[in-house]
Amino acid sequence: MEPSSNPTPPCPTPWGRTGRSRRGPPIPHRRSGPLLVSMVTGGGRAESREAGRSGSRRPGEGRRAGAEENRAGRCPAAMPSPRSSPSRRAAPIPSPSRRAAPGPSPSCAAVALRSLLAADLRFSRQLGVCAGERSAWGSARPLLRLLEVSGHGVPWLAGTLYGLGRSESPAGREVLLNLLFALVLDLVLVAVVKGLVRRRRPTHNKMDMFVTISVDKYSFPSGHATRAAMVCRFVLHHLVLAIPLRVLVVLWAIIVGISRVMLGRHNVTDVAFGFIMGYMQYNVVKYFWLSPLSAPALFAVWNQ
């Protein structure tokens, strides 16, 4: 008499059911050696009982045996997933050859520009001797503020409009009308460049300027420098002045530009670019010069 043994449970499928296509070959019943020997030789009851105990399995033991067989590799579906393997969990160590290469080194032009800006800031701060009342030359600050007003756009616009309304000479009216055109052009170009560059004013500047607008919080270029250079060139070309007065006009333009740095309003490069820009603005005014022949309607309005 052979003892009954529980068959090994089939491999579970992904849908939780047992399929014949994924079930392995049938496992033959295990025959216990001591049991067969006892039956043939007629051994004692103790041997038969011992063989029966070892041959027969409980339901729990059959399940554990099936699980052990699955782990041994008979059922590939029940093997541990590759995600839980330690080799997949460990982060790969990047090799030195796969590390990100450093960014491109700055060009010589970029390094030179940074050095120039750093020197500009340092030099401008040293020249800002009238930036405040407690500065080295703080007592000269009121005088420099008068120069600031003399180069401001509002007094020049107001004076030009007043002279244009009071003038009775056609030649004088033509000159004043073109000067008004030059002043308006200067305001527009400076505002556009300041809005594009957006360079902040020096940190030691005291915001107590005369009649500022939204773009005046920016520093590049200096509007006083552009206006001084443009007006200086305009006056020297269209007004008949004695030599001392011509020298005085040139000195006025230069001192206005220097005072912007001494007051801490601008950096040195702001004033230098402002002089160049104002000098070139007169070429634009000269090219689009307004005359009774080029703009008859405009002169007809002022003649009335």
Side-chain angles (χ1 to χ4, degrees):
M1 178 178 182
E2 295 181 0
S4 63
S5 60
N6 294 328
T8 303
C11 302
T13 61
W15 299 275
R17 300 177 181 177
T18 57
R20 295 182 178 179
S21 60
R22 297 202 175 188
R23 186 178 299 176
I27 302 173
H29 296 286
R30 298 182 179 180
R31 300 176 182 269
S32 173
L35 178 60
L36 296 176
V37 173
S38 62
M39 293 179 64
V40 173
T41 58
R45 295 181 179 178
E47 294 180 357
S48 61
R49 291 177 184 176
E50 183 179 358
R53 290 175 183 176
S54 61
S56 62
R57 295 183 180 179
R58 298 178 183 178
E61 294 178 355
R63 295 176 183 177
R64 285 195 295 270
E68 291 177 357
E69 293 176 355
N70 292 337
R71 283 194 294 268
R74 292 191 177 183
C75 182
M79 295 181 65
S81 61
R83 296 182 180 179
S84 60
S85 60
S87 59
R88 293 294 183 92
R89 292 181 182 178
I93 301 175
S95 59
S97 59
R98 294 185 178 180
R99 293 179 181 176
S105 58
S107 60
C108 297
V111 174
L113 181 60
R114 292 177 184 176
S115 303
L116 177 62
L117 292 178
D120 178 36
L121 295 177
R122 183 174 61 256
F123 190 49
S124 302
R125 190 173 187 84
Q126 293 176 356
L127 292 179
V129 293
C130 299
E133 289 78 6
R134 297 182 180 180
S135 301
W137 293 6
S139 58
R141 184 177 173 83
L143 179 60
L144 296 183
R145 293 200 63 188
L146 287 177
L147 286 172
E148 181 180 48
V149 175
S150 68
H152 202 277
V154 173
W156 278 100
L157 287 173
T160 303
L161 288 173
Y162 178 78
L164 190 60
R166 300 283 296 180
S167 179
E168 297 179 357
S169 171
R173 192 177 295 114
E174 181 180 348
V175 171
L176 290 175
L177 187 61
N178 283 276
L179 179 58
L180 180 64
F181 168 65
L183 293 173
V184 173
L185 178 66
D186 174 72
L187 290 176
V188 172
L189 292 180
V190 170
V192 170
V193 176
K194 282 187 175 182
L196 292 176
V197 178
R198 296 187 178 185
R199 185 183 188 184
R200 293 289 180 177
R201 292 189 180 270
T203 55
H204 57 277
N205 174 44
K206 187 178 180 181
M207 292 297 294
D208 55 351
M209 294 180 291
F210 176 75
V211 187
T212 59
I213 57 178
S214 60
V215 293
D216 285 335
K217 62 184 178 181
Y218 302 121
S219 177
F220 186 90
S222 172
H224 283 70
T226 58
R227 193 173 301 109
M230 187 267 300
V231 169
C232 177
R233 194 177 178 190
F234 189 96
V235 170
L236 294 179
H237 279 77
H238 297 284
L239 294 181
V240 180
L241 299 175
I243 293 178
L245 293 178
R246 298 172 71 89
V247 174
L248 186 61
V249 171
V250 175
L251 288 177
W252 168 81
I254 295 174
I255 293 174
V256 166
I258 295 175
S259 67
R260 306 306 292 165
V261 182
M262 297 177 65
L263 287 172
R265 308 294 195 202
H266 296 277
N267 298 308
V268 176
T269 52
D270 303 336
V271 176
F273 185 83
F275 279 139
I276 298 173
M277 183 175 174
Y279 186 87
M280 300 302 296
Q281 281 178 0
Y282 176 76
N283 295 333
V284 179
V285 175
K286 186 178 180 179
Y287 183 81
F288 294 101
W289 185 263
L290 302 177
S291 64
L293 298 177
S294 60
L298 185 60
F299 280 89
V301 172
W302 287 106
N303 289 332
Q304 293 178 0

